[in-house]
């Protein structure tokens, strides 16, 4: 459903409709002056009743003075209204309208309005107002030339204020919409980047672990192919099983980008994961404790992250310390789920006898394999992209937990993490 703030900014900043016919400014400014000079001044010069005095010449002069004053009503509306108090009714009406539309209601307008109404009462005889006709004549000029122009001017002034307020609100709303659109685009970009990073992390964990085990089994099968066909068959079966597992996880990952909660890897899969590493030749021990009575089990997201962290740590051990002993410990405690994957130091003979960490200070040694004819050749090291530790830390951070990875005082390597029992 389209929200009000989703309307295009162009619709909000479009100019508001104006009058159907808008004359040029000089015409609008000088038109009243021209009308009074061309029509009313000649009438006042020939009709003694057409003006505030009994002298036609004086009336014509006052009318001409008021007409000239009207030319300045845009810049000096109050002074123009005061000057036209001595002129005829029509110049005074124009001046009052101009004052009301430009200044609005205020003390100055009230004072000039009272003076104008008194001025419009002057030509009439207040002695006989007993009949309706005389009363109508009494209120005609103050109403037509005083009250009506003031009412029209105040109405136009208020309309102008309303139009300006609405235009400002439309501008602010357009600016707000623009900022909302930019924020939404930035949020979508951040979400897309986070999803790409998450998908890459999932792909790395699945592919790296399974392919590493497949590579190790393939190396073992290559060594044993001459003298032990049964061992080769077992190795090929393990390779097939690992390949099927990798394909299953990749299908789930590419199908919905995240496994369903009932099919996602969890702590229940750690024994199988450890057994796969043992079959690949890594000495791994697993200890899982908790949760105690009254303590809730970790949530699905927490168990999934713990499984992936252990999986990646075992993959690193395969790559960098294939001959080491690895201890996997998982404990569910009141303050969270704690896990540790610690491998012992690796010492090998010859030129490969150095001891190091997971891609930090060296290698854990290179395993040697005996091939046909009794020859000994070192197994090639498994490639490493350097993303494993970063991915593990990201998983812990996303849940509000912590992860530390580094060498142990004995010369091995340890990955320790603490995850909350429920996802943040």
């Amino acid at each position: 459903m389209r929200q009000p703030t989703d309307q295009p900014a162009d619709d909000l900043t479009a100019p508001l409709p104006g009058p159907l016919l808008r004359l040029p400014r000089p015409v609008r400014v000088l038109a009243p002056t021209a009308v009074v000079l061309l029509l009313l001044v000649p009438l006042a010069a020939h009709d003694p009743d057409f003006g505030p005095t009994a002298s036609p010449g004086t009336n014509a002069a006052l009318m001409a003075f008021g007409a000239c004053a009207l030319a300045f009503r845009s810049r000096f509306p109050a002074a123009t209204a005061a000057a036209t108090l001595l002129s005829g009714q029509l110049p005074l009406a124009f001046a009052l309208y101009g004052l009301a539309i430009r200044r609005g209601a205020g003390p100055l307008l009230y004072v000039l309005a009272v003076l104008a109404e008194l001025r419009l009462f002057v030509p009439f005889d207040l002695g006989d107002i007993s009949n309706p006709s005389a009363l109508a004549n009494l209120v005609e000029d103050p109403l037509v030339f005083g009250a009506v122009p003031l009412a029209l001017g105040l109405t136009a002034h208020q309309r102008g204020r309303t139009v300006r307020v609405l235009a400002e609100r439309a501008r602010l709303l357009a600016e707000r919409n623009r900022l909302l659109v930019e924020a939404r685009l930035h949020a979508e970009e951040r979400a897309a980047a986070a999803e790409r990073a998450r998908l890459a992390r999932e792909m790395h964990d699945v592919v790296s672990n399974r392919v590493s085990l497949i590579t190790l089994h393939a190396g073992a099968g290559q060594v044993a192919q001459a003298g032990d066909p049964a061992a080769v068959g077992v190795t090929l079966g393990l390779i097939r099983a690992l390949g099927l597992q990798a394909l299953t996880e990749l299908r789930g990952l590419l199908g919905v980008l995240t496994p369903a909660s009932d099919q996602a890897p969890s702590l229940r899969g750690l024994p199988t994961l450890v057994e796969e590493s043992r079959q690949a030749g890594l000495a791994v021990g697993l200890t899982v404790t908790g949760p105690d009575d009254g303590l809730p089990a970790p949530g699905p997201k927490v168990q999934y992250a713990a499984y992936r962290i252990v999986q990646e740590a075992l993959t690193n051990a395969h790559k960098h310390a294939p001959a080491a002993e690895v201890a996997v410990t998982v404990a569910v405690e009141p303050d969270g789920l704690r896990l540790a994957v610690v491998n012992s130091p690796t010492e090998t003979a010859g030129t490969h006898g150095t001891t190091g960490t997971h891609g930090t200070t060296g290698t854990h040694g290179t395993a040697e394999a005996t091939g046909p004819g009794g020859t000994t050749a070192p197994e090639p090291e498994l490639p490493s992209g350097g993303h494993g530790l970063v991915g593990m830390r990201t998983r812990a951070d996303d849940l509000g937990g912590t992860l530390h990875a580094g060498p142990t005082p004995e010369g091995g390597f340890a990955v320790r993490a603490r995850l909350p029992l429920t996802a943040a």
Side-chain angles (χ1 to χ4, degrees), residues 93-360:
F94 278 123
L96 291 177
Y97 176 82
L99 176 62
I101 196 174
R102 287 172 177 81
R103 295 290 179 86
L108 182 60
L109 177 68
Y110 298 147
V111 171
L112 290 175
V114 171
L115 294 177
E117 295 296 332
L118 293 176
R119 154 68 184 84
L120 293 171
F121 273 114
V122 169
F124 296 99
D125 184 7
L126 299 181
D128 183 13
I129 57 174
S130 57
N131 60 77
S133 177
L135 183 60
N137 291 333
L138 178 65
V139 300
E140 178 182 3
D141 283 358
L143 180 63
V144 173
F145 298 104
V148 171
L150 287 172
L152 294 177
L154 290 175
T155 301
H157 175 78
Q158 187 60 37
R159 178 185 179 277
R161 289 187 57 185
T162 303
V163 169
R164 288 191 294 273
V165 170
L166 292 177
E168 180 64 15
R169 288 181 180 178
R171 186 190 68 79
L172 294 177
L173 185 58
E175 180 67 15
R176 178 192 175 193
N177 280 357
R178 185 184 66 80
L179 295 176
L180 288 176
V181 170
E182 292 182 357
R184 184 171 58 190
L185 292 178
H186 291 164
E188 291 175 354
E189 292 175 357
R190 289 194 299 269
E195 185 63 16
R196 287 194 297 268
R198 189 189 71 81
L199 182 58
R201 188 166 61 247
E202 300 290 347
M203 294 283 289
H204 172 272
D205 289 349
V206 172
V207 174
S208 176
N209 178 263
R210 301 305 181 191
V211 173
S212 296
L213 295 179
I214 290 173
T215 304
L216 290 173
H217 285 304
Q222 183 181 13
V223 172
Q225 63 184 352
D228 193 356
V232 173
V234 172
T235 301
L236 292 177
L238 292 174
I239 291 175
R240 181 177 182 277
L242 291 171
L244 290 175
Q245 291 176 5
L247 286 176
T248 300
E249 294 191 24
L250 285 176
R251 286 194 187 101
L253 188 63
L254 297 177
V256 294
L257 297 183
T258 180
S261 59
D262 56 343
Q263 299 177 353
S266 63
L267 296 181
R268 293 190 301 270
L270 289 181
T272 302
L273 182 65
V274 168
E275 183 61 27
E276 292 172 355
S277 295
R278 289 172 182 163
Q279 292 175 354
L282 189 66
V284 187
L286 174 64
T287 303
V288 180
T289 59
D292 298 332
D293 294 339
L295 191 65
K301 292 184 179 180
V302 176
Q303 295 194 37
Y304 180 77
Y307 179 93
R308 292 302 187 193
I309 291 174
V310 173
Q311 182 185 53
E312 180 60 29
L314 291 177
T315 300
N316 287 342
H318 279 292
K319 292 179 180 179
H320 304 291
E325 295 181 355
V326 182
V328 179
T329 305
V330 179
V332 181
E333 300 178 355
D335 63 341
L337 185 148
R338 295 183 179 272
L339 61 89
V341 181
V342 183
N343 64 262
S344 63
T346 300
E347 296 182 0
T348 58
T351 59
H352 302 290
T354 59
T355 300
T357 60
H358 292 196
T360 55

